[in-house]
């Protein structure tokens, strides 16, 4: 069962999301918060699998709350999806930097919202390859002021190759095809890379690929 907390200052939005998700047999809405600080406290108490986090809330906005939640090691299994009315690049970038696993706008189709919860619950990123590449290329110069490749020293050559493809936004299946691996082997490589680098999810792997210049602006995986 996927346990979800909904954080939004609009009661109607919370009620709508809750009713939609509660209709799914594998999803359980365990709590709701109307402010950023409430969301942080609720997550600390309930340790949900997924948080649907609004950005513009009183008493700590969604970006701040995301950072607070991610900073607590006890919340390592909690994944955050930013849900907002405003589809602006800066919000997505700030959310990624804060530790969010995905980003959705509030007019997303119901089926996509449900899919989003399931995707991030299993540790995958909720950013399409195109969006990921566009956003991270846009801010790649500011992700890390100093190039530090020490993190890569724990990876094998094959794992670096896989991390590069993750950085380009490829799925496990696409990585498997490109490297002539089975999908299971590709998934295993990604899981080991996450473990070695202490990454919460695939988004953090993408950021690492850019920070260490495994992927650079203008490059492609072709």
């Amino acid at each position: 069962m996927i346990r979800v907390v909904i954080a939004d200052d609009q009661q109607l939005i919370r009620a709508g999301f809750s009713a939609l998700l509660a209709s799914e047999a594998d999803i359980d809405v365990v709590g709701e918060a109307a402010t950023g600080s409430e969301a942080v406290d609720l997550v600390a108490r309930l340790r949900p699998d997924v948080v649907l986090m609004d950005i513009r809330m009183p008493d700590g906005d969604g970006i701040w709350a995301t950072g607070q939640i991610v900073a607590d090691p006890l919340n390592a299994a909690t994944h955050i999806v930013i849900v907002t009315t405003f589809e602006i690049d800066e919000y997505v970038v700030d959310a990624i930097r804060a530790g969010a696993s995905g980003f959705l706008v509030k007019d997303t189709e119901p089926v996509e919202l449900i899919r989003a919860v399931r995707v991030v619950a299993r540790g995958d990123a909720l950013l399409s390859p195109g969006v990921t590449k566009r956003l991270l290329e846009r801010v790649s110069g500011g992700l890390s002021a100093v190039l530090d490749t020490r993190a890569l020293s724990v990876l094998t050559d094959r794992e670096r190759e896989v991390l590069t493809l993750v950085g380009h936004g490829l799925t496990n299946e696409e990585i498997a095809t490109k490297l002539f691996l089975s999908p299971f082997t590709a998934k295993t490589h990604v899981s080991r890379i996450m473990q070695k680098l202490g990454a919460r999810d695939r988004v953090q792997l993408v950021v690492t690929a850019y920070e260490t210049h495994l992927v650079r602006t203008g490059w492609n995986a072709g």
Side-chain angles (χ1 to χ4, degrees):
M1 184 69 72
I2 302 171
R3 303 171 70 251
V4 178
V5 161
I6 300 169
D8 195 293
D9 62 340
Q10 297 183 48
Q11 185 175 1
L12 188 60
I13 294 292
R14 296 198 308 272
F17 283 177
S18 181
L20 175 65
L21 296 175
S23 67
E24 299 299 308
D26 61 332
I27 299 175
D28 182 20
V29 177
V30 296
E32 298 179 12
T35 71
S37 61
E38 283 182 11
V40 173
D41 292 342
L42 203 57
V43 170
R45 181 160 53 88
L46 299 176
R47 309 295 180 193
D49 301 300
V50 177
V51 180
L52 297 179
M53 182 80 73
D54 186 26
I55 287 184
R56 295 192 174 182
M57 293 186 292
D59 194 17
D61 65 17
I63 302 298
W64 172 85
T66 296
Q68 295 296 306
I69 291 168
V70 170
D72 185 346
L74 294 178
N75 295 328
T78 297
H79 301 285
I80 300 171
V81 178
I82 297 294
V83 188
T84 180
T85 307
F86 308 97
E87 191 174 12
I88 301 175
D89 284 356
E90 282 76 7
Y91 287 155
V92 187
V93 172
D94 289 345
I96 290 172
R97 285 174 169 160
S101 298
F103 177 89
L104 287 174
V105 290
K106 288 183 178 177
D107 60 358
T108 295
E109 293 294 327
V111 66
E112 286 301 310
L113 179 65
I114 294 168
R115 185 187 72 86
V117 169
R118 291 177 176 143
V119 165
V120 298
R122 63 175 183 255
D124 290 336
L126 190 70
L127 289 172
S128 69
V131 170
T132 301
K133 188 171 186 294
R134 175 172 58 87
L135 288 171
L136 288 180
E137 284 189 349
R138 184 173 175 273
V139 298
S140 59
L143 282 172
S144 181
V146 179
L147 176 61
D148 186 356
T149 60
R150 287 175 298 177
L152 300 181
S153 65
V154 300
L155 303 181
T156 65
D157 289 343
R158 173 62 90 183
E159 287 168 345
R160 292 190 188 200
E161 194 173 10
V162 171
L163 178 57
T164 300
L165 296 177
V166 171
H168 283 291
L170 272 64
T171 66
N172 290 344
E173 291 74 17
E174 291 168 337
I175 291 171
T177 299
K178 194 166 188 65
L179 298 181
F180 303 101
L181 305 171
S182 71
F184 176 80
T185 299
K187 181 179 180 181
T188 298
H189 278 308
V190 172
S191 296
R192 286 177 179 167
I193 294 168
M194 289 176 62
Q195 184 177 21
K196 286 183 176 182
L197 298 182
R200 288 171 58 89
D201 53 41
R202 214 175 180 92
V203 170
Q204 290 194 341
L205 293 187
V206 174
V207 171
T208 298
Y210 273 82
E211 287 185 329
T212 57
H213 292 187
L214 283 178
V215 178
R216 297 182 184 178
T217 303
W219 288 15
N220 60 62

